[in-house]
Amino acid sequence: MRPAYEFLNSAPAASRHNDRATNGSAPAQTPPRAPAAFGGRWWRSLPLPGSWRARTRDWVRGSPTGLVALALAVGGGAGLGAVAFRYLILVFTHAFSGYADYSAHGRAGYGYGHLGFWFVVAAPVVGGLLYGPLIHLFAREARGHGVPEVMLAVAERGGRIRPQVSVVKALASALCIGSGGSVGREGPIVQIGSALGSTLGQLLRVPESRLRVLVACGAAGGISATFNAPIAGVFFALELILRDFEAESFGVVVLSSFAADIVGRAAFGDHPFLHLPTFQLVSPLEYLLYAGLGVAAAVVGVAFVRVLYGGEDLADRLWRGPEWLRPAVGGILLGLLLLALPELYGVGYPPLEKAIHGGWAVWFLVALLAGKILATTLTISIGGSGGVFAPSLFMGAMLGSAYGHGVHHLFPHSTAAAGAYGLVGMGAVFAGAARAPITAVIIVFELTGEYRIILPLMFAIVLAAGVSRQLSRDTIYTLKLRRRGIDLMRGRGANLMALLTVRDAMQPVPVSVDQGTPLNEVIERLMRGPADGLPVVDADGAYRGTVTSQQVEQAMRENALDADAGGLAQETTALRPSQTLEQGLSALMRERSGLPVLEPETRRVVGWLTHMDVLRAYNQRLEAGIRDAERRRAPQQPRHEIGLVGSALARLRGYRVVELELGETAGPVGSRLAELGLPEGSSVLGLRRNGDAIAPTGTTELAGGDRLTLLVPAAHADRLVDTLEGGAGSG
């Protein structure tokens, strides 16, 4: 059967415009419309018959081969973007420092131009003057390390990323790294590739499910091409961006990574990204030593996360000038640090390789480890643009090499050279910070081409990820989002489902049936009632199970016509009125029919919950919050209604649901809700304390650990979170 839009596209003009014809005259002619520049019906401009256009459109949007073609196109585009981005970094680094990679020259590299060694202070300032306004004016999401923005686009925005992000991110990050910013290039290239995939998908108007996959394809392609690491690119995209390993997603992401790697190898050659010596395990004793390194790497990874976001908070509190000027002013501090440790200039792969080759003393390795944490924090905090993957590898190499020197001094005949520990430390610190062990193992292997160290590498990385999970709830990528009310570890953090209870949503009990009710009467009850299931009770009224239409159909298929309700009933998950809707929905996901709500003591059925009941309760609570917010809003503020006035989803545009989890020493602790100074038009949706929902009033005093859910005008949401955070959101 042909889809409706194909009939419309292929229908004659007269049949489409009969409503415009009057008194039998010729139908009014609609002037030709130019194809929309973005997301419009640009298919009509193709020189193809209408049926061909429709078939091509359906093929691209719906068929598996169409998705394969899109994945290959995104991979090729991401590969070209990675090549262009690396050359941009090379050009800007040479323009600012006079070298292709200034960190490779270190202290011997002073004396560029008439500034002498002071150029290293001036370079971050000049770079900040260039990329600061660029980010501020054209794409503010290009600020920072990029991967959280891509994760947010996939999780919350259906994979939609603005097209200009790829261009702005490439220029801003290349300027930042070239002028001395101590960040990596994996975050930018992930954002660049993802934006390319999203743009292509939006142009072709593919469904959101495919758009998300195309974003992951772009991320995988970027990693694959820039590091010559096709397998690591695949697992980076699946483990961190998509967060699933479904067969269809896996296949097309692999193809995209393959296409991008071909482009990358053609441009950069077919060899491992890093050139490191060969290592191998010397004795079984080393497994215990690598375990110690894994624990130390977890501590360093978590410390890096906390210092990074603590630095951002401090910079936000101290800075009072225009945002576009912040990178230039902060660049003075970064330049002074680079003056002391020029090895931290830019990405820093040459110093990393030198550390693993055993070129530095232990004290200097420790200094570079601490310096890299500070330099990366400074770069991101002042508004720089760049990734945190390369810095975590740098820190791991310094930590591991210093650790290796120590254990080799203690056990010279039972341990490998210090560089082996530096190699393992690279993956372990990244795993401690990002908690992506699969990606960490594979990417270190592909970057180095060293397989003989794989067992201790896996052991240390798994330990680092496990210890990191015990030390911190969040990763370096998810913490940025959770501080904005979005918890990717458990879905949307600002979750009204956790504030509403089953009692709020349950409906009256369908007419229950006695366990002795015959099959024909059960069928009659199911036909009359709106529910797909009926509770079965015994003579005392206690719940004994649920009989559904599926069980009835099975009994009829087996000719069990003498069955009764008790024999057909199956025990299903029973809910309690006090449970949250979040728990209720989780139980409903495992059942096709509704679920009974029981009083715990008597096991009597007091209510019935279906999927529609959950949605209805959620919608009612959200609409109540919106109505309350609109009553509070100042008259001069514009209304945020789009489409149907009665639609909660339409009116939600212009608002954001934000959750704050208050730490014990958070700023709002001890204050009343009325004293928070919420923006005009805000509403308190709920308050949860010690697992219990509390009805919020203006006099409610906040305590440490409170989970506060707010409906806030979107324009003020980020600033409100920054103001109230003061320890909130840290979990």
PDB file of all heavy atoms in Angstrom, residues 405-440:
ATOM      1  N   HIS A 405      59.024   3.512  37.631  1.00  0.00           N
ATOM      2  CA  HIS A 405      60.372   3.759  38.157  1.00  0.00           C
ATOM      3  C   HIS A 405      60.468   3.265  39.597  1.00  0.00           C
ATOM      4  O   HIS A 405      61.474   2.662  39.991  1.00  0.00           O
ATOM      5  CB  HIS A 405      60.702   5.249  38.080  1.00  0.00           C
ATOM      6  CG  HIS A 405      61.140   5.698  36.729  1.00  0.00           C
ATOM      7  ND1 HIS A 405      62.280   5.223  36.114  1.00  0.00           N
ATOM      8  CD2 HIS A 405      60.598   6.605  35.865  1.00  0.00           C
ATOM      9  CE1 HIS A 405      62.418   5.800  34.928  1.00  0.00           C
ATOM     10  NE2 HIS A 405      61.406   6.642  34.753  1.00  0.00           N
ATOM     11  N   GLY A 406      59.409   3.519  40.380  1.00  0.00           N
ATOM     12  CA  GLY A 406      59.433   3.123  41.782  1.00  0.00           C
ATOM     13  C   GLY A 406      59.462   1.619  41.964  1.00  0.00           C
ATOM     14  O   GLY A 406      60.293   1.078  42.707  1.00  0.00           O
ATOM     15  N   VAL A 407      58.552   0.890  41.268  1.00  0.00           N
ATOM     16  CA  VAL A 407      58.504  -0.567  41.451  1.00  0.00           C
ATOM     17  C   VAL A 407      59.721  -1.246  40.826  1.00  0.00           C
ATOM     18  O   VAL A 407      60.189  -2.286  41.316  1.00  0.00           O
ATOM     19  CB  VAL A 407      57.192  -1.148  40.876  1.00  0.00           C
ATOM     20  CG1 VAL A 407      55.988  -0.579  41.613  1.00  0.00           C
ATOM     21  CG2 VAL A 407      57.065  -0.909  39.384  1.00  0.00           C
ATOM     22  N   HIS A 408      60.253  -0.653  39.746  1.00  0.00           N
ATOM     23  CA  HIS A 408      61.449  -1.240  39.136  1.00  0.00           C
ATOM     24  C   HIS A 408      62.661  -1.066  40.042  1.00  0.00           C
ATOM     25  O   HIS A 408      63.570  -1.913  40.058  1.00  0.00           O
ATOM     26  CB  HIS A 408      61.708  -0.607  37.771  1.00  0.00           C
ATOM     27  CG  HIS A 408      62.738  -1.327  36.960  1.00  0.00           C
ATOM     28  ND1 HIS A 408      62.548  -2.608  36.483  1.00  0.00           N
ATOM     29  CD2 HIS A 408      63.987  -0.963  36.550  1.00  0.00           C
ATOM     30  CE1 HIS A 408      63.616  -3.002  35.805  1.00  0.00           C
ATOM     31  NE2 HIS A 408      64.510  -2.016  35.843  1.00  0.00           N
ATOM     32  N   HIS A 409      62.673   0.007  40.794  1.00  0.00           N
ATOM     33  CA  HIS A 409      63.756   0.201  41.762  1.00  0.00           C
ATOM     34  C   HIS A 409      63.649  -0.810  42.902  1.00  0.00           C
ATOM     35  O   HIS A 409      64.673  -1.317  43.393  1.00  0.00           O
ATOM     36  CB  HIS A 409      63.696   1.630  42.315  1.00  0.00           C
ATOM     37  CG  HIS A 409      64.747   1.917  43.345  1.00  0.00           C
ATOM     38  ND1 HIS A 409      66.081   2.100  43.022  1.00  0.00           N
ATOM     39  CD2 HIS A 409      64.663   2.037  44.707  1.00  0.00           C
ATOM     40  CE1 HIS A 409      66.773   2.319  44.141  1.00  0.00           C
ATOM     41  NE2 HIS A 409      65.939   2.296  45.163  1.00  0.00           N
ATOM     42  N   LEU A 410      62.412  -1.130  43.304  1.00  0.00           N
ATOM     43  CA  LEU A 410      62.216  -2.090  44.389  1.00  0.00           C
ATOM     44  C   LEU A 410      62.408  -3.533  43.928  1.00  0.00           C
ATOM     45  O   LEU A 410      62.950  -4.369  44.664  1.00  0.00           O
ATOM     46  CB  LEU A 410      60.813  -1.926  44.979  1.00  0.00           C
ATOM     47  CG  LEU A 410      60.530  -0.609  45.705  1.00  0.00           C
ATOM     48  CD1 LEU A 410      59.056  -0.529  46.085  1.00  0.00           C
ATOM     49  CD2 LEU A 410      61.410  -0.474  46.948  1.00  0.00           C
ATOM     50  N   PHE A 411      61.947  -3.856  42.715  1.00  0.00           N
ATOM     51  CA  PHE A 411      62.019  -5.234  42.207  1.00  0.00           C
ATOM     52  C   PHE A 411      62.653  -5.225  40.817  1.00  0.00           C
ATOM     53  O   PHE A 411      61.972  -5.451  39.815  1.00  0.00           O
ATOM     54  CB  PHE A 411      60.619  -5.858  42.143  1.00  0.00           C
ATOM     55  CG  PHE A 411      59.823  -5.717  43.403  1.00  0.00           C
ATOM     56  CD1 PHE A 411      58.815  -4.769  43.502  1.00  0.00           C
ATOM     57  CD2 PHE A 411      60.082  -6.526  44.507  1.00  0.00           C
ATOM     58  CE1 PHE A 411      58.073  -4.634  44.657  1.00  0.00           C
ATOM     59  CE2 PHE A 411      59.341  -6.396  45.672  1.00  0.00           C
ATOM     60  CZ  PHE A 411      58.339  -5.445  45.752  1.00  0.00           C
ATOM     61  N   PRO A 412      63.942  -4.958  40.731  1.00  0.00           N
ATOM     62  CA  PRO A 412      64.576  -4.770  39.419  1.00  0.00           C
ATOM     63  C   PRO A 412      64.539  -6.005  38.525  1.00  0.00           C
ATOM     64  O   PRO A 412      64.524  -5.871  37.293  1.00  0.00           O
ATOM     65  CB  PRO A 412      66.012  -4.386  39.783  1.00  0.00           C
ATOM     66  CG  PRO A 412      66.218  -4.902  41.163  1.00  0.00           C
ATOM     67  CD  PRO A 412      64.900  -4.809  41.833  1.00  0.00           C
ATOM     68  N   HIS A 413      64.519  -7.199  39.093  1.00  0.00           N
ATOM     69  CA  HIS A 413      64.577  -8.412  38.283  1.00  0.00           C
ATOM     70  C   HIS A 413      63.200  -9.017  38.020  1.00  0.00           C
ATOM     71  O   HIS A 413      63.093 -10.004  37.286  1.00  0.00           O
ATOM     72  CB  HIS A 413      65.469  -9.452  38.974  1.00  0.00           C
ATOM     73  CG  HIS A 413      66.856  -8.968  39.239  1.00  0.00           C
ATOM     74  ND1 HIS A 413      67.739  -8.635  38.235  1.00  0.00           N
ATOM     75  CD2 HIS A 413      67.516  -8.744  40.417  1.00  0.00           C
ATOM     76  CE1 HIS A 413      68.885  -8.232  38.765  1.00  0.00           C
ATOM     77  NE2 HIS A 413      68.770  -8.280  40.089  1.00  0.00           N
ATOM     78  N   SER A 414      62.174  -8.458  38.613  1.00  0.00           N
ATOM     79  CA  SER A 414      60.830  -9.032  38.480  1.00  0.00           C
ATOM     80  C   SER A 414      59.852  -8.100  37.783  1.00  0.00           C
ATOM     81  O   SER A 414      58.665  -8.418  37.699  1.00  0.00           O
ATOM     82  CB  SER A 414      60.275  -9.388  39.870  1.00  0.00           C
ATOM     83  OG  SER A 414      61.135 -10.266  40.560  1.00  0.00           O
ATOM     84  N   THR A 415      60.325  -6.984  37.314  1.00  0.00           N
ATOM     85  CA  THR A 415      59.424  -6.009  36.697  1.00  0.00           C
ATOM     86  C   THR A 415      59.977  -5.536  35.362  1.00  0.00           C
ATOM     87  O   THR A 415      61.193  -5.545  35.138  1.00  0.00           O
ATOM     88  CB  THR A 415      59.228  -4.780  37.603  1.00  0.00           C
ATOM     89  OG1 THR A 415      60.502  -4.200  37.896  1.00  0.00           O
ATOM     90  CG2 THR A 415      58.540  -5.167  38.897  1.00  0.00           C
ATOM     91  N   ALA A 416      59.057  -5.135  34.498  1.00  0.00           N
ATOM     92  CA  ALA A 416      59.448  -4.572  33.209  1.00  0.00           C
ATOM     93  C   ALA A 416      59.941  -3.146  33.396  1.00  0.00           C
ATOM     94  O   ALA A 416      59.895  -2.590  34.499  1.00  0.00           O
ATOM     95  CB  ALA A 416      58.252  -4.607  32.259  1.00  0.00           C
ATOM     96  N   ALA A 417      60.384  -2.544  32.305  1.00  0.00           N
ATOM     97  CA  ALA A 417      60.838  -1.159  32.356  1.00  0.00           C
ATOM     98  C   ALA A 417      59.676  -0.245  32.722  1.00  0.00           C
ATOM     99  O   ALA A 417      58.500  -0.591  32.568  1.00  0.00           O
ATOM    100  CB  ALA A 417      61.431  -0.761  31.011  1.00  0.00           C
ATOM    101  N   ALA A 418      60.020   0.944  33.197  1.00  0.00           N
ATOM    102  CA  ALA A 418      59.000   1.888  33.667  1.00  0.00           C
ATOM    103  C   ALA A 418      57.997   2.235  32.575  1.00  0.00           C
ATOM    104  O   ALA A 418      56.823   2.492  32.849  1.00  0.00           O
ATOM    105  CB  ALA A 418      59.672   3.152  34.197  1.00  0.00           C
ATOM    106  N   GLY A 419      58.453   2.224  31.319  1.00  0.00           N
ATOM    107  CA  GLY A 419      57.553   2.589  30.226  1.00  0.00           C
ATOM    108  C   GLY A 419      56.358   1.672  30.091  1.00  0.00           C
ATOM    109  O   GLY A 419      55.286   2.096  29.648  1.00  0.00           O
ATOM    110  N   ALA A 420      56.510   0.388  30.465  1.00  0.00           N
ATOM    111  CA  ALA A 420      55.374  -0.535  30.401  1.00  0.00           C
ATOM    112  C   ALA A 420      54.254  -0.069  31.322  1.00  0.00           C
ATOM    113  O   ALA A 420      53.068  -0.139  30.980  1.00  0.00           O
ATOM    114  CB  ALA A 420      55.828  -1.944  30.785  1.00  0.00           C
ATOM    115  N   TYR A 421      54.617   0.411  32.487  1.00  0.00           N
ATOM    116  CA  TYR A 421      53.624   0.920  33.433  1.00  0.00           C
ATOM    117  C   TYR A 421      53.036   2.242  32.929  1.00  0.00           C
ATOM    118  O   TYR A 421      51.855   2.536  33.167  1.00  0.00           O
ATOM    119  CB  TYR A 421      54.251   1.083  34.814  1.00  0.00           C
ATOM    120  CG  TYR A 421      54.616  -0.242  35.438  1.00  0.00           C
ATOM    121  CD1 TYR A 421      55.834  -0.852  35.167  1.00  0.00           C
ATOM    122  CD2 TYR A 421      53.731  -0.897  36.284  1.00  0.00           C
ATOM    123  CE1 TYR A 421      56.166  -2.079  35.716  1.00  0.00           C
ATOM    124  CE2 TYR A 421      54.051  -2.124  36.840  1.00  0.00           C
ATOM    125  CZ  TYR A 421      55.266  -2.718  36.545  1.00  0.00           C
ATOM    126  OH  TYR A 421      55.587  -3.938  37.091  1.00  0.00           O
ATOM    127  N   GLY A 422      53.857   3.027  32.238  1.00  0.00           N
ATOM    128  CA  GLY A 422      53.335   4.247  31.639  1.00  0.00           C
ATOM    129  C   GLY A 422      52.296   3.956  30.578  1.00  0.00           C
ATOM    130  O   GLY A 422      51.264   4.638  30.480  1.00  0.00           O
ATOM    131  N   LEU A 423      52.538   2.904  29.783  1.00  0.00           N
ATOM    132  CA  LEU A 423      51.589   2.509  28.750  1.00  0.00           C
ATOM    133  C   LEU A 423      50.259   2.065  29.362  1.00  0.00           C
ATOM    134  O   LEU A 423      49.182   2.473  28.920  1.00  0.00           O
ATOM    135  CB  LEU A 423      52.200   1.375  27.925  1.00  0.00           C
ATOM    136  CG  LEU A 423      51.373   0.807  26.779  1.00  0.00           C
ATOM    137  CD1 LEU A 423      51.076   1.889  25.755  1.00  0.00           C
ATOM    138  CD2 LEU A 423      52.112  -0.352  26.130  1.00  0.00           C
ATOM    139  N   VAL A 424      50.328   1.239  30.401  1.00  0.00           N
ATOM    140  CA  VAL A 424      49.105   0.787  31.072  1.00  0.00           C
ATOM    141  C   VAL A 424      48.424   1.953  31.780  1.00  0.00           C
ATOM    142  O   VAL A 424      47.188   2.060  31.789  1.00  0.00           O
ATOM    143  CB  VAL A 424      49.439  -0.338  32.066  1.00  0.00           C
ATOM    144  CG1 VAL A 424      48.229  -0.683  32.933  1.00  0.00           C
ATOM    145  CG2 VAL A 424      49.927  -1.573  31.324  1.00  0.00           C
ATOM    146  N   GLY A 425      49.215   2.849  32.356  1.00  0.00           N
ATOM    147  CA  GLY A 425      48.646   4.005  33.046  1.00  0.00           C
ATOM    148  C   GLY A 425      47.820   4.889  32.128  1.00  0.00           C
ATOM    149  O   GLY A 425      46.837   5.501  32.570  1.00  0.00           O
ATOM    150  N   MET A 426      48.205   4.979  30.844  1.00  0.00           N
ATOM    151  CA  MET A 426      47.441   5.786  29.894  1.00  0.00           C
ATOM    152  C   MET A 426      45.978   5.348  29.857  1.00  0.00           C
ATOM    153  O   MET A 426      45.056   6.162  29.973  1.00  0.00           O
ATOM    154  CB  MET A 426      48.060   5.672  28.499  1.00  0.00           C
ATOM    155  CG  MET A 426      49.386   6.377  28.339  1.00  0.00           C
ATOM    156  SD  MET A 426      50.273   5.859  26.837  1.00  0.00           S
ATOM    157  CE  MET A 426      49.038   6.178  25.587  1.00  0.00           C
ATOM    158  N   GLY A 427      45.760   4.046  29.675  1.00  0.00           N
ATOM    159  CA  GLY A 427      44.389   3.552  29.612  1.00  0.00           C
ATOM    160  C   GLY A 427      43.690   3.590  30.951  1.00  0.00           C
ATOM    161  O   GLY A 427      42.487   3.848  31.029  1.00  0.00           O
ATOM    162  N   ALA A 428      44.447   3.343  32.034  1.00  0.00           N
ATOM    163  CA  ALA A 428      43.822   3.261  33.355  1.00  0.00           C
ATOM    164  C   ALA A 428      43.299   4.612  33.823  1.00  0.00           C
ATOM    165  O   ALA A 428      42.211   4.702  34.407  1.00  0.00           O
ATOM    166  CB  ALA A 428      44.819   2.691  34.358  1.00  0.00           C
ATOM    167  N   VAL A 429      44.038   5.683  33.606  1.00  0.00           N
ATOM    168  CA  VAL A 429      43.564   7.011  34.021  1.00  0.00           C
ATOM    169  C   VAL A 429      42.346   7.423  33.192  1.00  0.00           C
ATOM    170  O   VAL A 429      41.385   7.989  33.726  1.00  0.00           O
ATOM    171  CB  VAL A 429      44.693   8.050  33.925  1.00  0.00           C
ATOM    172  CG1 VAL A 429      44.136   9.466  34.113  1.00  0.00           C
ATOM    173  CG2 VAL A 429      45.763   7.778  34.970  1.00  0.00           C
ATOM    174  N   PHE A 430      42.373   7.132  31.901  1.00  0.00           N
ATOM    175  CA  PHE A 430      41.203   7.438  31.083  1.00  0.00           C
ATOM    176  C   PHE A 430      39.985   6.654  31.576  1.00  0.00           C
ATOM    177  O   PHE A 430      38.880   7.185  31.667  1.00  0.00           O
ATOM    178  CB  PHE A 430      41.477   7.116  29.612  1.00  0.00           C
ATOM    179  CG  PHE A 430      40.261   7.248  28.736  1.00  0.00           C
ATOM    180  CD1 PHE A 430      39.685   8.481  28.504  1.00  0.00           C
ATOM    181  CD2 PHE A 430      39.683   6.133  28.150  1.00  0.00           C
ATOM    182  CE1 PHE A 430      38.549   8.614  27.708  1.00  0.00           C
ATOM    183  CE2 PHE A 430      38.560   6.242  27.356  1.00  0.00           C
ATOM    184  CZ  PHE A 430      37.995   7.486  27.127  1.00  0.00           C
ATOM    185  N   ALA A 431      40.189   5.371  31.920  1.00  0.00           N
ATOM    186  CA  ALA A 431      39.087   4.570  32.446  1.00  0.00           C
ATOM    187  C   ALA A 431      38.600   5.110  33.780  1.00  0.00           C
ATOM    188  O   ALA A 431      37.398   5.099  34.064  1.00  0.00           O
ATOM    189  CB  ALA A 431      39.518   3.110  32.602  1.00  0.00           C
ATOM    190  N   GLY A 432      39.505   5.608  34.618  1.00  0.00           N
ATOM    191  CA  GLY A 432      39.105   6.184  35.895  1.00  0.00           C
ATOM    192  C   GLY A 432      38.321   7.465  35.738  1.00  0.00           C
ATOM    193  O   GLY A 432      37.421   7.754  36.533  1.00  0.00           O
ATOM    194  N   ALA A 433      38.638   8.233  34.706  1.00  0.00           N
ATOM    195  CA  ALA A 433      37.945   9.505  34.496  1.00  0.00           C
ATOM    196  C   ALA A 433      36.648   9.331  33.707  1.00  0.00           C
ATOM    197  O   ALA A 433      35.629   9.936  34.036  1.00  0.00           O
ATOM    198  CB  ALA A 433      38.856  10.489  33.777  1.00  0.00           C
ATOM    199  N   ALA A 434      36.677   8.510  32.641  1.00  0.00           N
ATOM    200  CA  ALA A 434      35.522   8.374  31.744  1.00  0.00           C
ATOM    201  C   ALA A 434      34.692   7.142  32.028  1.00  0.00           C
ATOM    202  O   ALA A 434      33.555   7.048  31.584  1.00  0.00           O
ATOM    203  CB  ALA A 434      35.991   8.337  30.296  1.00  0.00           C
ATOM    204  N   ARG A 435      35.245   6.177  32.762  1.00  0.00           N
ATOM    205  CA  ARG A 435      34.573   4.933  33.109  1.00  0.00           C
ATOM    206  C   ARG A 435      34.029   4.247  31.853  1.00  0.00           C
ATOM    207  O   ARG A 435      32.862   3.838  31.789  1.00  0.00           O
ATOM    208  CB  ARG A 435      33.471   5.173  34.121  1.00  0.00           C
ATOM    209  CG  ARG A 435      33.320   4.014  35.112  1.00  0.00           C
ATOM    210  CD  ARG A 435      32.386   4.366  36.228  1.00  0.00           C
ATOM    211  NE  ARG A 435      32.890   5.488  37.001  1.00  0.00           N
ATOM    212  CZ  ARG A 435      32.134   6.376  37.640  1.00  0.00           C
ATOM    213  NH1 ARG A 435      30.825   6.269  37.581  1.00  0.00           N
ATOM    214  NH2 ARG A 435      32.679   7.349  38.328  1.00  0.00           N
ATOM    215  N   ALA A 436      34.918   4.109  30.859  1.00  0.00           N
ATOM    216  CA  ALA A 436      34.587   3.409  29.620  1.00  0.00           C
ATOM    217  C   ALA A 436      35.674   2.365  29.387  1.00  0.00           C
ATOM    218  O   ALA A 436      36.564   2.548  28.562  1.00  0.00           O
ATOM    219  CB  ALA A 436      34.517   4.398  28.455  1.00  0.00           C
ATOM    220  N   PRO A 437      35.631   1.235  30.128  1.00  0.00           N
ATOM    221  CA  PRO A 437      36.752   0.294  30.099  1.00  0.00           C
ATOM    222  C   PRO A 437      36.989  -0.360  28.748  1.00  0.00           C
ATOM    223  O   PRO A 437      38.130  -0.598  28.364  1.00  0.00           O
ATOM    224  CB  PRO A 437      36.367  -0.743  31.172  1.00  0.00           C
ATOM    225  CG  PRO A 437      34.895  -0.594  31.360  1.00  0.00           C
ATOM    226  CD  PRO A 437      34.588   0.844  31.089  1.00  0.00           C
ATOM    227  N   ILE A 438      35.914  -0.665  28.007  1.00  0.00           N
ATOM    228  CA  ILE A 438      36.102  -1.303  26.703  1.00  0.00           C
ATOM    229  C   ILE A 438      36.858  -0.360  25.773  1.00  0.00           C
ATOM    230  O   ILE A 438      37.843  -0.739  25.119  1.00  0.00           O
ATOM    231  CB  ILE A 438      34.747  -1.694  26.090  1.00  0.00           C
ATOM    232  CG1 ILE A 438      34.004  -2.660  27.013  1.00  0.00           C
ATOM    233  CG2 ILE A 438      34.936  -2.325  24.721  1.00  0.00           C
ATOM    234  CD1 ILE A 438      32.611  -3.004  26.542  1.00  0.00           C
ATOM    235  N   THR A 439      36.408   0.876  25.713  1.00  0.00           N
ATOM    236  CA  THR A 439      37.081   1.863  24.874  1.00  0.00           C
ATOM    237  C   THR A 439      38.514   2.066  25.321  1.00  0.00           C
ATOM    238  O   THR A 439      39.430   2.184  24.485  1.00  0.00           O
ATOM    239  CB  THR A 439      36.313   3.201  24.927  1.00  0.00           C
ATOM    240  OG1 THR A 439      34.965   2.990  24.500  1.00  0.00           O
ATOM    241  CG2 THR A 439      36.965   4.232  24.038  1.00  0.00           C
ATOM    242  N   ALA A 440      38.756   2.122  26.623  1.00  0.00           N
ATOM    243  CA  ALA A 440      40.106   2.363  27.130  1.00  0.00           C
ATOM    244  C   ALA A 440      41.065   1.261  26.710  1.00  0.00           C
ATOM    245  O   ALA A 440      42.191   1.530  26.273  1.00  0.00           O
ATOM    246  CB  ALA A 440      40.073   2.489  28.652  1.00  0.00           C
TER     247      ALA A 440
END
